[in-house]
Amino acid sequence: IAGITQAPTSQILAAGRRMTLRCTQDMRHNAMYWYRQDLGLGLRLIHYSNTAGTTGKGEVPDGYSVSRANTDDFPLTLASAVPSQTSVYFCASSERGNNEQFFGPGTRLTVL
Amino acid sequence: SQQGEEDPQALSIQEGENATMNCSYKTSINNLQWYRQNSGRGLVHLILIRSNEREKHSGRLRVTLDTSKKSSSLLITASRAADTASYFCATGFAGGTSYGKLTFGQGTILTVHP
């Protein structure tokens, strides 16, 4: 692994289903982030974690949950997907807050 | 709500010309960053300028920051077709509950014609 990876690359999901988007980084960064990107709205922060064991809510956290059990992994879970969660999801990491962020390649999620 | 607002929303130029993109923000910041996104890809960090800096250079990139006007500009000199991408500014905040979080603008779509 080099940098930050996300899985799956894309997914089509029925409304009401549970889905976990995976994110892993090998840079030993303290901070990790989840964003969603929608046309015309730019990137919006969903949840973040400044260090392993802690998480916080971003701008649009409703319907999403995260966990940070270790430094490397930061999964994002949609407990019961709704069509408005159709988006491209990006995971990012940084050595610490306010530093440059490194982004994964994204997961394109479609909820029908 | 978005902290940063960018203009123009879209910019179309010829190869060799300079491209200037602007970003305005509303509240006090710790730093301002510029990112590039090629179609279908993740964002790539270009440059970070701190609130106590006024100008910064990196290769063909020049960033200015005017904290009194709460604005920044990104200049790409001698543009190339490979510079075609979306460019985003992102503001980082000093502390409190906003520490470490970036707020992104909606981006400028730059098209450089060969």
Side-chain angles (χ1 to χ4, degrees):
Chain A
I1 297 177
I4 187 164
T5 60
Q6 294 183 237
T9 302
S10 65
Q11 182 76 43
I12 298 174
L13 190 65
R17 296 297 294 269
R18 180 184 179 90
M19 176 74 191
T20 295
L21 307 184
R22 300 184 299 278
C23 175
T24 299
Q25 54 107 355
D26 66 353
M27 297 173 282
R28 307 302 293 173
H29 284 171
N30 287 309
M32 296 187 76
Y33 312 86
W34 274 105
Y35 297 90
R36 59 177 291 173
Q37 184 176 32
D38 303 288
L39 199 62
L41 294 176
L43 276 84
R44 293 180 292 169
L45 182 66
I46 304 171
H47 285 287
Y48 68 97
S49 168
N50 282 332
T51 188
T54 69
T55 62
K57 294 182 180 180
E59 184 184 352
V60 289
D62 294 343
Y64 305 95
S65 64
V66 291
S67 61
R68 186 87 185 277
N70 57 60
T71 298
D72 298 344
D73 301 300
F74 191 43
L76 176 74
T77 297
L78 290 68
S80 179
V82 296
S84 62
Q85 292 177 311
T86 292
S87 187
V88 181
Y89 291 85
F90 289 100
C91 180
S93 70
S94 65
E95 187 175 338
R96 55 182 181 273
N98 278 332
N99 280 22
E100 66 175 287
Q101 293 186 11
F102 294 80
F103 281 77
T107 293
R108 184 174 296 274
L109 182 67
T110 303
V111 182
L112 301 175
Chain B
S1 63
Q2 295 292 332
Q3 159 78 330
E5 293 185 6
E6 299 179 56
D7 83 278
Q9 290 187 323
L11 181 60
S12 182
I13 59 174
Q14 295 296 128
E15 224 172 13
E17 295 180 340
N18 295 342
T20 300
M21 289 160 268
N22 303 295
C23 172
S24 60
Y25 57 92
K26 297 174 183 174
T27 60
S28 296
I29 62 171
N30 173 278
N31 67 75
L32 187 143
Q33 302 179 32
W34 286 90
Y35 288 80
R36 183 177 95 174
Q37 184 180 34
N38 289 87
S39 182
R41 301 288 192 92
L43 279 72
V44 175
H45 181 267
L46 295 175
I47 197 164
L48 181 155
I49 186 166
R50 301 199 183 281
S51 59
N52 60 354
E53 297 175 311
R54 293 295 167 258
E55 187 171 313
K56 206 160 183 180
H57 297 255
S58 177
R60 292 184 296 113
L61 305 180
R62 172 179 169 253
V63 169
T64 62
L65 178 64
D66 187 336
T67 53
S68 67
K69 294 182 179 177
K70 292 185 168 57
S71 68
S72 173
S73 67
L74 170 67
L75 168 68
I76 304 173
T77 60
S79 63
R80 305 166 182 168
D83 294 328
T84 294
S86 294
Y87 291 81
F88 294 88
C89 70
T91 46
F93 302 97
T97 59
S98 295
Y99 175 75
K101 295 184 281 187
L102 294 180
T103 300
F104 285 82
Q106 295 182 26
T108 293
I109 300 171
L110 173 65
T111 303
V112 182
H113 300 281

